[in-house]
C-alpha cells in the first residue's frame, strides 16, 4: 500500500508553496467581492418612484384632463421660496374664482423621502405657506386645488433666484 506524500521533492510541505494559495485565493477573493457588492446593493437600493406603474400609466388621461382644465381656466403662477416660506402668485382668466387654498408639492426626482406637500392659504398678496428647507437640485413642482380638478406644474432647479413660473403642462405660451 502506498501512502500519499505531503512533502514535495524540495522537502517543503504543500502549504509552503505559492501555487496552492494562488489557486485557493482567487475564488476566495471573488466570494468576498460578491458579498461586498451585495451589501452595497442592498443598502443603496433605488426606490421605485411609483409602485404600480401600469396603473399610473392608465391614469394619464385623468392627469391630462386636469392640465387641460387649468389651461381652460387660464391659470398660471409664480412661486417664490425664501426663508422657509413659499409664496404663490396665482393668476386666472377674468371671471374665474380662485380657491381659498391650494396644495403645493415639491417632489424630488430620485429621493421620495425629501418630498414635501404644503397647503397654501390665500392672503392679500397671494398664497402663503410654511415650507421646510429644500436641498439644492432638480425638483418637480405641482400646484393643485384641494378638489384636484386642475393642476399646474414645473420642473425647477433650486435655488431659483427670484422664483419660478408654474403653468399647465399643455400650455406652450409661457
Amino acid at each position: 500500500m502506498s501512502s500519499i506524500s505531503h512533502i514535495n521533492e524540495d522537502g517543503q510541505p504543500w502549504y509552503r508553496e505559492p501555487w496552492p494559495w494562488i489557486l485557493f485565493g482567487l475564488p476566495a477573493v471573488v466570494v468576498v467581492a460578491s458579498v461586498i457588492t451585495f451589501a452595497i446593493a442592498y443598502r443603496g437600493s433605488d426606490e421605485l418612484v411609483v409602485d404600480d406603474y401600469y396603473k399610473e400609466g392608465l391614469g394619464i388621461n385623468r392627469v391630462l384632463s386636469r392640465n387641460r382644465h387649468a389651461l381652460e381656466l387660464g391659470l398660471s403662477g409664480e412661486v417664490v421660496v425664501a426663508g422657509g416660506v413659499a409664496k404663490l402668485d396665482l393668476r386666472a382668466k377674468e371671471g374665474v374664482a380662485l380657491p381659498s387654498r391650494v396644495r403645493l408639492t415639491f417632489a424630488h426626482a430620485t429621493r421620495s423621502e425629501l418630498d414635501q406637500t404644503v397647503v397654501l392659504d390665500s392672503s392679500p398678496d397671494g398664497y402663503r405657506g410654511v415650507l421646510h428647507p429644500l436641498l439644492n437640485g432638480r425638483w418637480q413642482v405641482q400646484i393643485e386645488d384641494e378638489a384636484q380638478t386642475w393642476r399646474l406644474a414645473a420642473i425647477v432647479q433650486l435655488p431659483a433666484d427670484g422664483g419660478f413660473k408654474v403653468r399647465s403642462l399643455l400650455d406652450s405660451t409661457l
Side-chain angles (χ1 to χ4, degrees):
M1 179 177 195
S2 67
S3 67
I4 298 177
S5 174
H6 296 288
I7 299 176
N8 62 15
E9 292 93 28
D10 296 340
Q12 292 183 356
W14 68 269
Y15 54 85
R16 299 252 184 205
E17 294 293 325
W19 288 111
W21 293 110
I22 291 172
L23 293 176
F24 295 144
L26 291 175
V29 168
V30 170
V31 168
V32 170
S34 64
V35 168
I36 291 171
T37 302
F38 176 77
I40 291 170
Y42 184 75
R43 284 191 198 135
S45 63
D46 294 334
E47 295 179 18
L48 287 176
V49 176
V50 176
D51 238 358
D52 190 356
Y53 62 89
Y54 180 73
K55 184 178 174 184
E56 288 292 319
L58 292 176
I60 191 69
N61 291 334
R62 186 172 157 275
V63 171
L64 289 176
S65 68
R66 291 172 57 200
N67 291 342
R68 199 170 294 111
H69 188 62
L71 189 58
E72 290 167 358
L73 296 174
L75 292 171
S76 66
E78 187 170 343
V79 177
V80 176
V81 177
V85 175
K87 299 176 193 172
L88 168 65
D89 179 23
L90 186 63
R91 294 173 296 281
K93 286 182 181 176
E94 191 171 328
V96 173
L98 294 175
S100 61
R101 302 176 103 184
V102 295
R103 188 174 18 212
L104 170 66
T105 302
F106 281 90
H108 195 274
T110 58
R111 296 177 56 195
S112 63
E113 71 272 9
L114 298 176
D115 295 356
Q116 288 189 51
T117 299
V118 178
V119 175
L120 303 178
D121 292 312
S122 182
S123 68
D125 60 338
Y127 293 86
R128 292 175 162 261
V130 177
L131 187 68
H132 295 291
L134 296 167
L135 294 178
N136 293 346
R138 188 177 174 101
W139 290 86
Q140 297 172 358
V141 180
Q142 178 174 296
I143 298 171
E144 58 191 354
D145 62 334
E146 288 187 307
Q148 295 183 343
T149 59
W150 55 262
R151 172 180 102 124
L152 301 176
I155 296 176
V156 298
Q157 184 73 29
L158 294 180
D161 296 333
F164 55 89
K165 294 184 185 303
V166 288
R167 60 185 175 88
S168 166
L169 294 178
L170 301 174
D171 188 0
S172 61
T173 61
L174 290 179

